[in-house]
Amino acid sequence: MNYILFDTLRRKHLLPFTYLRPCADIRVGILTIREKWEKYLSTKTSSLTQPYLQEKFPIVAKEDNILLNGTVCPNPTLVEAVLGLGPNQALVSHENYILAMHVSAAELKEFDEEETDVEEIEFDAPYTKINNTWDIFSKNGSEIEADFKLLTKDRKSADLPEGNNYIAAENIFIEEGVKITYASLNASSGPIYIGKDAEIMEGVLIRGPFALCDHSTVKMGAKIYGPTTVGPESKVGGELNNVVIFGLSNKGHDGFLGNSVIGEWCNIGADSNNSNLKNTYEEVKLWDYGQEHFVKTGLQFCGLMMGDHSKCGINTMFNTGTVVGIHSNIFGDGFQRNFIPSFSWGGVHKQERYNFDRAMKVTEAVFKRRGRELDEQEKALLKLIYEMGEQNRLV
């Protein structure tokens, strides 16, 4: 069977994290949503996404296809139901979301999430769905636990390095090549997963649920409270509490980051902090790209949502419930605004449009540091978003 993960109408509410990726490539737990499905199904998937993203994420269509909701995290019960779908059948939740649909190549071309002419099969078992940006960190704990079971099933952890303090060691799993030196790992409140060739330096304190993905580093003296995920090839230091970092990003210095989501290729300057609780203890509101205004999150704790390629200077202060778009460079004293559009340059006192060529020079330098090259396809994609502006109709 051929599996295709489709972007749903919730995609616009997941910006800025879906500017440069399909919904399925959001990381929540240890894995991205796509990686979860591919692990369960033992096969590769493709995407049905926005036209401007389709070249980078090409769809692979065959005569028989299963469309999978790209905002839904799989679990064994859901996967079993998906595998049982016959032609012209759809799995539908009690909230009337399409979870999966069996379609032919011809039907795939006419697919419309809101108008379907198929036999609907209700799925009433629990599952995790990412509807809003804050769901990524607020549902991260349960997804770390689910991914931990998925990744470690019938496997044995590499030997835990000596000279460290382990609490509930049976809930700690490390891959090959991991380095841990004079650190304390407490998995009594949730599992701890350490990916291949990751490193935890001296004096680090970690409390699960926690995931440190492949080739990432926790720097000396860091304090990390779960549920937190540090994606591949990232560096973190200071204090973190309930944070999801997609990957390829750095928060390498002292400073607090809590109840937050950080995209790829981001950098948090030294001694930068975010507030995750209003001093009035009121419910936090957050900018919603889909509704184009601030919305209630239902949360008392909510911090920073930072899109891909964005960076901030040293001592930057982010207020409770702040959204930063993609490719912004933020600096200056005082609390930053609660919504900073993509390609912004400056801070609270003066903020202007980031010059595109200047932004690309920075990106090329960042890529070069990691032995990568900014290709023309990615540059053209960024240029398209830049030219359309923050209120573009690509969403």
Side-chain angles (χ1 to χ4, degrees):
M1 184 58 67
N2 184 50
Y3 295 95
I4 303 167
L5 287 150
F6 70 92
D7 280 353
T8 76
L9 298 175
R10 296 302 306 178
R11 176 186 177 274
K12 62 184 69 174
H13 302 279
L14 294 170
L15 293 167
F17 302 115
T18 50
Y19 267 127
L20 296 172
R21 63 175 59 78
C23 298
D25 291 301
I26 288 173
R27 186 176 302 279
V28 55
I30 303 172
L31 305 169
T32 66
I33 297 173
R34 182 188 307 280
E35 289 169 344
K36 299 172 198 285
W37 279 107
E38 291 182 347
K39 185 72 175 175
Y40 272 109
L41 297 169
S42 299
T43 188
K44 289 293 183 181
T45 62
S46 64
S47 287
L48 176 59
T49 184
Q50 298 298 299
Y52 81 98
L53 283 173
Q54 203 69 78
E55 182 179 349
K56 183 177 179 181
F57 301 93
I59 188 171
V60 177
K62 297 185 178 179
E63 187 50 43
D64 269 321
N65 309 278
I66 297 287
L67 285 171
L68 299 168
N69 189 318
T71 64
V72 172
C73 300
N75 60 48
T77 305
L78 177 56
V79 171
E80 183 180 1
V82 167
L83 293 176
L85 283 176
N88 209 39
Q89 289 184 331
L91 203 62
V92 180
S93 72
H94 64 275
E95 305 103 329
N96 208 33
Y97 289 121
I98 295 175
L99 303 178
M101 182 184 296
H102 190 151
V103 296
S104 66
E107 292 167 333
L108 179 60
K109 293 180 180 179
E110 305 297 326
F111 174 69
D112 186 331
E113 184 184 350
E114 294 186 294
E115 296 183 15
T116 60
D117 184 21
V118 295
E119 178 188 355
E120 294 186 356
I121 300 172
E122 184 174 347
F123 182 80
D124 57 6
Y127 66 95
T128 298
K129 189 174 190 298
I130 306 302
N131 282 320
N132 303 287
T133 55
W134 57 87
D135 290 339
I136 299 171
F137 72 78
S138 63
K139 298 181 179 181
N140 195 49
S142 60
E143 283 303 303
I144 287 178
E145 293 186 8
D147 288 348
F148 186 87
K149 292 177 182 177
L150 180 64
L151 289 170
T152 64
K153 183 180 179 182
D154 299 325
R155 298 179 62 215
K156 183 180 178 182
S157 170
D159 292 337
L160 299 179
E162 295 181 358
N164 300 288
N165 181 39
Y166 301 108
I167 302 173
E170 67 277 10
N171 295 329
I172 300 173
F173 190 99
I174 69 171
E175 301 286 359
E176 295 297 329
V178 169
K179 297 178 182 178
I180 308 175
T181 307
Y182 299 119
S184 179
L185 280 66
N186 183 350
S188 60
S189 56
I192 293 176
Y193 174 86
I194 312 298
K196 293 179 182 178
D197 299 318
E199 181 176 7
I200 299 173
M201 294 183 177
E202 300 92 315
V204 169
L205 304 174
I206 295 174
R207 176 169 292 197
F210 174 70
L212 183 66
C213 297
D214 296 358
H215 309 290
S216 286
T217 301
V218 182
K219 299 183 74 174
M220 291 193 298
K223 296 183 292 185
I224 301 179
Y225 301 84
T228 289
T229 295
V230 179
E233 299 182 56
S234 299
K235 292 182 180 180
V236 296
E239 183 178 358
L240 291 84
N241 185 353
N242 192 194
V243 173
V244 177
I245 297 174
F246 283 10
L248 295 158
S249 292
N250 292 336
K251 183 219 169 294
H253 305 284
D254 285 344
F256 173 75
L257 185 65
N259 302 96
S260 298
V261 182
I262 308 296
E264 293 185 341
W265 301 107
C266 297
N267 189 74
I268 307 293
D271 258 343
S272 293
N273 293 276
N274 83 285
S275 167
N276 63 342
L277 174 68
K278 298 178 74 171
N279 58 10
T280 59
Y281 290 75
E282 294 175 325
E283 176 183 356
V284 179
K285 293 182 179 180
L286 203 66
W287 178 262
D288 185 291
Y289 284 85
Q291 299 190 47
E292 297 185 357
H293 60 74
F294 289 89
V295 300
K296 294 181 178 180
T297 63
L299 300 174
Q300 192 176 54
F301 289 89
C302 185
L304 171 66
M305 308 287 126
M306 178 178 278
D308 300 293
H309 298 283
S310 286
K311 298 164 178 59
C312 70
I314 63 171
N315 300 120
T316 304
M317 296 196 302
F318 291 105
N319 223 325
T320 320
T322 294
V323 174
V324 179
I326 67 167
H327 238 302
S328 289
N329 197 317
I330 309 304
F331 53 88
D333 61 353
F335 275 110
Q336 302 297 325
R337 300 170 185 174
N338 287 70
F339 172 54
I340 299 173
S342 297
F343 291 98
S344 293
W345 172 275
V348 65
H349 300 297
K350 183 181 179 181
Q351 195 172 98
E352 56 191 41
R353 187 80 160 147
Y354 200 168
N355 178 274
F356 183 77
D357 291 336
R358 188 177 184 181
M360 290 306 100
K361 284 184 178 180
V362 172
T363 304
E364 288 170 355
V366 171
F367 274 46
K368 188 176 181 180
R369 282 190 70 210
R370 293 180 178 267
R372 303 192 184 194
E373 184 178 349
L374 178 64
D375 60 38
E376 291 304 314
Q377 182 186 60
E378 186 74 9
K379 190 181 294 186
L381 182 58
L382 290 167
K383 182 71 170 178
L384 178 63
I385 297 172
Y386 182 86
E387 290 177 342
M388 294 298 288
E390 193 68 80
Q391 304 305 327
N392 67 69
R393 294 305 163 211
L394 296 172
V395 303

